[in-house]
Amino acid sequence: MTERPDAPPPSRAERLASLRAVGARQAMIVTRTQAYAAGLSRGEVRAQVAARRWRRLGVHCLALFTGELTHEASCWVAVLEAGPRAQIDGESSLLLAGLEHYTSAVTRVSVPRGARVRHRGSAVDIRQTRRWSVDDLADGAGPRRTRTPVAAIRAGLWAKSDRQAALLLTMTVQQSLASIEELAVELLRVRRDRRRSLLAVTLLDLSGGVSSLNELDVLRGCRERDLPEPDVQSLRRTPNGSYYLDFRWRRWGVVVEVDGIQHAWATNVVSDSLRHNTIAIDGDIVLRLPVLGLRVCPDEFFDQVETALVARGWTRTSAA
């Protein structure tokens, strides 16, 4: 029986193609170990970097390109550098899940408490958490990341401010990345945290119909000033049609409409004015609250709300 000759070793081009196939699954980020496993020598890797075809990232990673890193590529660098149990977490995981109109300069990563972190970069925030669980890993391709409901709750817990925490939960629900029920289930796992109550109140507000962070600010402003809480997204039927009002104190006949930038668009000006006039003719006091005013002079607007309520019979001894 004739022995078959040994197959020739793969050419340099074949070895590079093999590594690029690995990189294609990882946003063109690979580890040096993966490069050596593809058959490249240390000298060949150094030559690619020296020729500025590739570049080193951190201690373990190589980018098979020299341009700007995408968010996905940054996340691959973070998990490959941090170690085998690292997961992209918090707002970074939300961005991988499709969160829009939000940016972050830092990549959030979680590891189990006590885990040995191989390396952390300057733009990587690695959190050791006792809540880490392998069951929190999201399915599908891409860098290892936490499931979206888990990521949203942790994003709220780790946010720089209470406002940012509320914003992240609100955007997650608005963009249908996770339901209120899914977020509530994950929040129940949080036994102790200074923001636990804030996140719970935010979810309760969202479940009650609040559709934007601006509306959350109105509810919070009423509570801080001991004003009665209004009905949210109240349906009002009039002879000229039915309208959903942002806030209405039914007992006292006072309405507040929050005007975002979309209310200034030409297509909305006429319809908003007609609705305002119809409700006013029908007997309610209608106050307009532009988002800009909510940011720069909230006290003046809430003073007007209180004045309107008092004019209709409310007192601080009234039942809300």
Side-chain angles (χ1 to χ4, degrees):
M1 183 175 179
T2 305
E3 293 185 2
R4 299 177 61 183
D6 292 337
S11 66
R12 177 174 172 275
E14 290 173 330
R15 286 179 279 128
L16 288 172
S18 175
L19 183 61
R20 290 193 186 97
V22 174
R25 299 189 294 271
Q26 301 176 179
M28 301 311 289
I29 302 296
V30 299
T31 63
R32 287 188 297 173
T33 299
Q34 289 172 328
Y36 303 147
L40 294 174
S41 68
R42 285 171 171 76
E44 287 173 318
V45 170
R46 285 194 297 268
Q48 293 290 334
V49 173
R52 298 186 178 179
R53 300 187 188 96
W54 299 351
R55 59 178 167 141
R56 289 192 178 93
L57 297 170
V59 174
H60 306 282
C61 291
L62 296 165
L64 304 184
F65 58 94
T66 55
E68 289 288 325
L69 295 184
T70 64
H71 177 66
E72 182 184 1
S74 296
C75 289
W76 273 110
V77 173
V79 295
L80 292 173
E81 288 286 308
R85 291 192 289 175
Q87 298 177 354
I88 301 299
D89 210 332
E91 62 203 62
S92 298
S93 182
L94 294 180
L95 289 168
L96 287 175
L99 183 69
E100 298 178 341
H101 312 301
Y102 187 90
T103 58
S104 175
V106 177
T107 304
R108 312 285 181 189
V109 175
S110 64
V111 295
R113 184 174 292 280
R116 181 173 177 267
V117 178
R118 295 194 310 199
H119 178 72
R120 68 179 74 218
S122 59
V124 178
D125 175 27
I126 299 179
R127 302 285 183 118
Q128 294 191 1
T129 173
R130 63 180 178 277
R131 301 185 188 101
W132 189 95
S133 171
V134 69
D135 295 332
D136 291 336
L137 190 65
D139 296 328
R144 296 185 301 272
R145 70 174 185 89
T146 51
R147 294 182 291 107
T148 301
V150 177
I153 293 300
R154 290 181 185 168
L157 298 178
W158 300 341
K160 292 182 178 179
S161 65
D162 289 350
R163 177 171 177 77
Q164 185 186 46
L167 172 66
L168 286 163
L169 286 193
T170 302
M171 292 179 74
T172 299
V173 174
Q174 279 184 324
Q175 297 180 26
S176 301
L177 299 179
S179 68
I180 296 170
E181 292 76 13
E182 289 171 327
L183 295 174
V185 168
E186 297 306 326
L187 183 58
L188 289 175
R189 295 172 56 190
V190 180
R191 300 299 183 187
R192 294 169 52 192
D193 192 278
R194 64 184 181 84
R195 280 221 180 97
R196 187 177 184 276
S197 296
L198 171 72
L199 299 189
V201 169
T202 300
L203 291 179
L204 286 173
D205 287 338
L206 290 169
S207 67
V210 174
S211 60
S212 75
L213 188 61
N214 301 318
E215 294 178 7
L216 287 177
D217 287 340
V218 172
L219 282 181
R220 191 168 293 118
C222 288
R223 292 167 185 161
E224 290 172 352
R225 294 164 177 82
D226 294 323
L227 298 175
E229 286 201 17
D231 298 320
V232 179
Q233 296 295 315
S234 173
L235 178 62
R236 179 70 181 276
R237 292 184 173 87
T238 72
N240 294 321
S242 298
Y243 306 100
Y244 280 97
L245 308 176
D246 291 338
F247 299 97
R248 187 184 183 213
W249 288 263
R250 187 186 307 273
R251 177 176 173 182
W252 295 284
V254 175
V255 171
V256 169
E257 291 280 71
V258 179
D259 294 341
I261 186 63
Q262 73 276 8
H263 289 271
W265 296 343
T267 53
N268 293 335
V269 170
V270 174
S271 60
D272 282 355
S273 298
L274 288 173
R275 179 173 68 169
H276 178 121
N277 294 342
T278 298
I279 296 167
I281 290 169
D282 205 38
D284 280 359
I285 296 175
V286 183
L287 303 178
R288 313 299 305 194
L289 177 52
V291 170
L292 181 60
L294 191 60
R295 299 291 168 267
V296 300
C297 54
D299 290 337
E300 287 87 339
F301 280 102
F302 281 109
D303 286 345
Q304 289 185 334
V305 171
E306 182 170 355
T307 299
L309 289 169
V310 170
R312 289 301 180 91
W314 174 77
T315 66
R316 291 196 173 274
T317 58
S318 301

